[in-house]
Amino acid sequence: MVTAGGLAVTTHEHNMIDFARRWMPFDGSADDEIFTTFGLSPSDFYRRVHEMLAGSTVSRINGHANRRRLVRYCARKAEEHRDRPLRVGPTVVIAS
């Protein structure tokens, strides 16, 4: 467990929030980076981070203004990825 603003979050949750926060200035990371790091589709990743930040569990993790910005960012990214298929790396076709 990690304490964030006096609230306990799992290390995994903390890592997800930190990942989103670090990549926010660049409008997100590559889809395969999210998948290989967290085992989630980008849509699921951003939706989960949004839910964690919007809920009371981690309401004070990044300060009020930064948290609001990250909540909006994750909501937008989850919506952008909602109907997009997950693409992990280049497609490789092996002929036999």
Side-chain angles (χ1 to χ4, degrees):
M1 294 289 231
V2 176
T3 301
L7 301 170
V9 294
T10 68
T11 301
H12 186 70
E13 290 171 332
H14 182 274
N15 290 342
M16 289 175 69
I17 293 166
D18 191 52
F19 184 91
R21 185 182 48 77
R22 282 193 331 261
W23 282 99
M24 186 172 59
F26 308 105
D27 200 32
S29 70
D31 291 357
D32 59 344
E33 183 75 19
I34 291 171
F35 184 76
T36 57
T37 303
F38 298 102
L40 296 169
S41 69
S43 178
D44 287 341
F45 171 82
Y46 288 113
R47 182 182 49 76
R48 286 189 189 184
V49 174
H50 177 267
E51 288 170 358
M52 284 186 276
L53 290 170
S56 59
T57 306
V58 270
S59 64
R60 296 177 298 197
I61 194 163
N62 287 318
H64 192 65
N66 289 333
R67 185 182 61 82
R68 276 198 332 248
R69 192 171 330 149
L70 191 54
V71 166
R72 286 192 309 264
Y73 164 75
C74 287
R76 179 177 58 83
K77 294 298 283 185
E79 183 62 27
E80 285 175 7
H81 285 89
R82 188 168 52 97
D83 296 323
R84 190 184 315 173
L86 176 63
R87 296 179 190 201
V88 179
T91 302
V92 177
V93 177
I94 301 174
S96 53

